[in-house]
Amino acid sequence: MYDFTSRVNREGTGASKYIAMKNINPDVPEGIVPLSVADMEFKMAPEIIRGLTSYLKDLVLGYTAPGDAWLDSIRGWMRKRHGWEIEREWIIPAEGVIGAFFNAVQAFTGPGDGVIIMTPVYPPFYTAVERNGRRVIRNELKVENGRYVIDFADLEKKAQVPENKLLIFCNPHNPVGRVWERQELEQISAICIKNNVTVVSDEIHFDFIMKGYKHTVFTSLGGEAAETSLVLSAPSKTFNLAGLHASYAVIPNPAIRKRYHDTLLTHCAHPGLNSLAYRATEIAYTECETWLDELLSVLDSNKRFVERFMAERIPSIKVFPLEGTYLQWWDCRNLDLKMPEATPYSRLSDAGGPKGYTDSRELEHFMTHEAFLFLDEGYIFGESGKGHERINLACPQSVLQESLERLEKALHKRNLVHSAAKQFRC
């Protein structure tokens, strides 16, 4: 029913990842699509375009409060897509999930307190902690049998420290793509309840769950879990509305909700969304479910396409299984890239690393200046992300094929891919 194959020309529109691409490499060839920042390279859902166009005909763009239609659209979406019954009064508008991180850190911790995060993780988790004068407490994820898992012993040890008062949790996890299972959530909750640690669960990607996996909203666990946590989400990833900052917090516990809201009022005299954000959320959540279902099929196809291509053509890059989000995580440490001695960029590289390891700065230079592949570099997600890449799969499959073929060609030039690899076909 929908067009997920046409390319959208975003050049000159102010799209941040295109500007960043040109800043990184001003000589990038025409037509290259960056596969970094998590917004989509697809046409918008036509229902949203039509709905907003009609809405604007008679609209006065003044101050707008969250109305019943907005609140009920969120409640309906949670009920239908996530099996979670929520009340209107639990919902607080948020001008972006990142801003909500910052507010939660200020609300539930004091200067010098520790905030636990599961690394490697989305960079604003770090900045929300550090820029508020708190300490980042890393609970490093482990890789077992080719899949990331939580180090629960380490989590419990760090939760027991009285100064560590908050856990910012990510589900599905960005960048490693895990959809945490219910029993994992219950174990996290038990540890946090026992040690008086409040949980902020970032679930902005919770509508992107791959076939064979099931997502559980953290606070939907109920009981004490619901009383000691809050959920942050938005239609912005699901329907590509990030530029509208149409986010929200869902907080069942009235004491936690009041603390969060009072802190918000301290820093923002008139918290809320713009009028188009409210209406776009209503349209997305009430009229665009069919578009999303078709999108999920496209993303599943893209995921499998990349997995096959890499396995057959560039097996030295390990592709982690994608359970949720549209952001795939690659381990590139076995590429054994070595920058030419004359390359000035190599002076910026990381020291050390195991045999065959290509450090993160050399990998970045190779990707952006030889393969013309603009991804999110693993090191921005933390120390354990070095040597990895995060690729955005939310684009026409033809863009993915061109991108991977450029990577393969650049590796051939370095004699790092065997030419005997069989011809890969879409």
Side-chain angles (χ1 to χ4, degrees):
M1 289 177 60
Y2 298 99
D3 181 1
F4 291 103
T5 58
S6 295
R7 301 195 185 197
V8 180
N9 183 4
R10 299 181 68 191
E11 293 279 359
T13 65
S16 61
K17 61 185 173 186
Y18 283 79
I19 294 171
M21 175 176 69
K22 292 294 180 67
N23 288 338
I24 293 168
N25 185 355
D27 300 321
V28 61
E30 188 176 348
I32 299 293
V33 177
L35 301 176
S36 52
V37 176
D39 59 14
M40 294 190 262
E41 299 296 319
F42 295 125
K43 288 186 173 182
M44 294 289 296
E47 293 86 350
I48 293 175
I49 301 300
R50 288 196 300 266
L52 289 180
T53 300
S54 175
Y55 185 59
L56 281 166
K57 287 180 181 178
D58 300 307
L59 179 66
V60 175
L61 293 170
Y63 294 116
T64 308
D68 290 345
W70 180 76
L71 294 167
D72 287 342
S73 71
I74 296 171
R75 294 181 67 215
W77 191 256
M78 290 295 187
R79 182 187 307 114
K80 187 170 186 180
R81 300 293 294 200
H82 300 282
W84 187 29
E85 288 286 348
I86 65 174
E87 302 299 329
R88 287 183 182 180
E89 60 267 24
W90 297 359
I91 306 169
I92 298 177
E95 289 189 286
V97 165
I98 294 174
F101 295 160
F102 276 74
N103 192 66
V105 169
Q106 292 166 351
F108 305 113
T109 66
D113 283 343
V115 178
I116 302 169
I117 60 176
M118 296 179 178
T119 54
V121 75
Y122 183 49
F125 280 39
Y126 297 92
T127 55
V129 178
E130 294 167 341
R131 291 181 186 176
N132 280 306
R134 278 61 164 174
R135 294 178 298 112
V136 170
I137 307 299
R138 292 169 175 80
N139 173 223
E140 291 284 346
L141 298 175
K142 303 185 296 184
V143 178
E144 293 182 358
N145 301 317
R147 188 179 188 226
Y148 279 89
V149 297
I150 296 167
D151 186 339
F152 284 106
D154 180 69
L155 176 62
E156 183 147 27
K157 178 181 177 182
K158 287 169 178 173
Q160 288 171 350
V161 178
E163 293 78 19
N164 296 342
K165 296 177 180 176
L166 191 69
L167 166 66
I168 306 181
F169 183 59
C170 195
N171 186 25
H173 193 280
N174 175 11
V176 307
R178 271 299 314 275
V179 173
W180 305 111
E181 297 169 7
R182 187 181 183 91
Q183 60 87 13
E184 291 173 303
L185 302 183
E186 290 172 343
Q187 196 168 348
I188 292 168
S189 180
I191 291 170
C192 290
I193 290 168
K194 179 181 176 182
N195 295 286
N196 298 312
V197 175
T198 302
V199 178
V200 176
S201 187
D202 168 19
E203 306 198 15
I204 197 169
H205 290 279
F206 69 170
D207 290 318
F208 296 109
I209 307 301
M210 298 296 111
K211 292 178 181 178
Y213 299 95
K214 179 176 174 55
H215 176 267
T216 301
V217 178
F218 192 94
T219 303
S220 74
L221 293 174
E224 285 189 88
E227 294 300 308
T228 55
S229 65
L230 58 146
V231 168
L232 306 176
S233 196
S236 56
K237 299 298 180 188
T238 309
F239 299 100
N240 214 25
L241 302 173
L244 291 180
H245 300 282
S247 305
Y248 52 85
V250 183
I251 312 175
N253 184 317
I256 291 178
R257 188 164 66 247
K258 183 178 187 304
R259 194 167 171 182
Y260 178 93
H261 191 253
D262 287 350
T263 303
L264 188 62
L265 290 174
T266 300
H267 300 281
C268 180
H270 186 77
L273 310 182
N274 66 73
S275 56
L276 293 184
Y278 287 120
R279 182 60 184 138
T281 300
E282 295 163 18
I283 297 167
Y285 280 168
T286 60
E287 300 180 29
C288 298
E289 191 171 20
T290 302
W291 182 88
L292 173 61
D293 288 337
E294 191 168 324
L295 168 64
L296 289 172
S297 295
V298 171
L299 294 175
D300 180 71
S301 176
N302 284 356
K303 176 196 76 160
R304 290 184 285 108
F305 172 81
V306 176
E307 288 171 346
R308 292 198 314 273
F309 189 103
M310 293 307 227
E312 296 180 18
R313 306 304 296 259
I314 315 176
S316 51
I317 292 180
K318 172 180 171 51
V319 177
F320 282 93
L322 182 64
E323 301 176 4
T325 81
Y326 51 74
L327 306 166
Q328 197 176 56
W329 189 237
W330 296 352
D331 185 345
C332 302
R333 291 176 294 176
N334 288 328
L335 283 179
D336 197 20
L337 285 166
K338 301 298 179 186
M339 295 296 293
E341 292 294 330
T343 304
Y345 198 88
S346 63
R347 291 184 286 108
L348 302 176
S349 63
D350 307 317
K355 184 177 180 181
Y357 172 78
T358 301
D359 69 51
S360 56
R361 298 291 182 174
E362 291 179 355
L363 176 63
E364 180 178 22
H365 186 271
F366 169 80
M367 289 290 189
T368 58
H369 287 72
E370 297 180 47
F372 301 117
L373 197 55
F374 296 84
L375 313 178
D376 278 314
E377 301 300 321
Y379 66 81
I380 72 173
F381 300 94
E383 188 72 20
S384 56
K386 288 183 175 180
H388 294 70
E389 299 277 358
R390 189 192 78 172
I391 181 171
N392 182 340
L393 303 182
C395 62
Q397 195 166 111
S398 61
V399 172
L400 282 177
Q401 181 160 2
E402 290 173 10
S403 300
L404 297 184
E405 287 174 349
R406 286 199 311 275
L407 174 59
E408 182 186 24
K409 183 178 180 181
L411 288 169
H412 269 300
K413 287 185 177 179
R414 294 287 197 93
N415 199 29
L416 293 173
V417 175
H418 296 296
S419 58
K422 63 183 179 180
Q423 179 66 35
F424 181 88
R425 297 199 178 275
C426 181

